[in-house]
Amino acid sequence: MNKFSAPQIRLTTTGCVAMVSFLGPLFVGQPIHAAGGPFTAQQAEDGHTKYNSHCAQCHRPNLQGGTGPALTGDAFKGKWAGKPVADLRTYNQTKMPPNAPGTLPDDQIDPITAYILSKNGVPPGDTPLGKDTASAQIPK
């Protein structure tokens, strides 16, 4: 090889797949993120019980709305889709429940928010939802 020749690089099939998987989203403008949602399955399961205790009386057990708005479906997605999970989490923490806003601690808000996201088709992941891990966007 002379001083003007580029070094040759050989890529295996595995190497190509790995490179495309990692770099591919950069070329189409998509963020790179881990598979799964911004909460764990256990957290969403725990949220179901907490939701029933704190939210179901207004939003109904099926999340379809009652005296409070529906927390699933087109109306919910129209308001929250594309926004950071942190926005929904903060709203829940500062505005809910309406008769005592801001009274539910993180160990209540995070599972409830995870449960709502799960009922809107967001898959669970490996990282529990919390104020420091809520940067993911709610899918459109």
Side-chain angles (χ1 to χ4, degrees), residues 81-107:
K83 294 183 179 177
V85 172
D87 289 2
L88 175 61
R89 185 189 180 281
T90 299
Y91 182 88
N92 289 342
Q93 189 167 46
T94 60
K95 305 286 186 193
M96 297 290 123
N99 62 341
T103 59
L104 295 177
D106 291 346
D107 67 346

Side-chain angles (χ1 to χ4, degrees), residues 5-129:
S5 298
Q8 292 183 349
I9 298 173
R10 293 182 186 223
L11 290 176
T12 64
T13 302
T14 304
C16 288
V17 169
M19 187 171 64
V20 169
S21 296
F22 182 76
L23 295 176
L26 295 175
F27 295 108
V28 294
Q30 298 297 316
I32 298 172
H33 54 80
F39 59 89
T40 65
Q42 180 60 48
Q43 199 174 29
E45 195 174 304
D46 185 35
H48 186 183
T49 303
K50 289 172 175 35
Y51 173 90
N52 285 339
S53 297
H54 300 289
C55 313
Q57 58 271 27
C58 294
H59 299 282
R60 297 179 54 195
N62 63 5
L63 289 81
Q64 294 301 307
T67 57
L71 299 177
T72 60
D74 293 339
F76 179 83
K77 287 185 180 186
K79 182 172 183 169
W80 296 105
K83 294 183 179 177
V85 172
D87 289 2
L88 175 61
R89 185 189 180 281
T90 299
Y91 182 88
N92 289 342
Q93 189 167 46
T94 60
K95 305 286 186 193
M96 297 290 123
N99 62 341
T103 59
L104 295 177
D106 291 346
D107 67 346
Q108 301 282 315
I109 290 298
D110 294 327
I112 289 170
T113 303
Y115 176 67
I116 293 167
L117 292 170
S118 73
K119 297 309 275 182
N120 280 281
V122 178
D126 297 329
T127 304
L129 177 63

